């Protein structure tokens, strides 16, 4: 998996699934990059999908500096979403 924001690119790295959680219509997968270089600031990547067919935004992606930051729902995160185009 790779996560490549322009200011802190992470080359393709091995990863582990740290958590999978279902809450209502949303499913969240939390991945931890393994062996990523120090230049990779955001080593925890979260993918979240909302299962509503009518939703324009169904997928969100977040990244955190660590599992500790993720668990604390830290503001030290990077996020983006995918928009469904008609």
């Amino acid at each position: 998996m790779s996560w490549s924001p322009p200011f802190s690119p992470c080359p393709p790295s091995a990863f582990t699934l740290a958590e999978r959680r279902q809450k209502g219509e949303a499913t969240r997968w939390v991945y931890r990059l393994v062996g990523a270089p120090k230049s990779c600031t955001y080593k925890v990547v979260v993918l979240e999908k909302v299962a509503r067919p009518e939703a324009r935004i169904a997928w969100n992606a977040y990244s955190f500096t660590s599992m500790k930051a993720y668990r604390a729902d830290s503001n030290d995160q990077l996020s983006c979403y995918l928009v469904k185009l008609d």
Side-chain angles (χ1 to χ4, degrees):
M1 175 184 293
S2 65
W3 181 251
S4 298
F7 51 86
S8 179
C10 296
S13 301
F15 61 90
T16 61
L17 178 63
E19 181 179 300
R20 181 184 183 277
R21 187 184 330 171
Q22 180 89 30
K23 185 176 180 182
E25 296 178 323
T27 303
R28 176 182 285 186
W29 297 268
V30 180
Y31 298 97
R32 190 176 58 81
L33 301 180
V34 178
K38 288 186 179 194
S39 61
C40 177
T41 305
Y42 298 96
K43 292 180 173 71
V44 175
V45 178
V46 180
L47 300 176
E48 186 175 70
K49 182 176 190 318
V50 178
R52 283 180 281 153
E54 74 284 354
R56 264 184 64 86
I57 300 171
W59 285 92
N60 291 306
Y62 309 89
S63 60
F64 294 87
T65 56
S66 65
M67 286 300 294
K68 182 178 178 180
Y70 164 71
R71 288 188 185 106
D73 199 18
S74 169
N75 288 331
D76 189 13
Q77 65 175 285
L78 179 67
S79 64
C80 66
Y81 55 85
L82 301 175
V83 177
K84 179 181 175 184
L85 300 175
D86 294 327

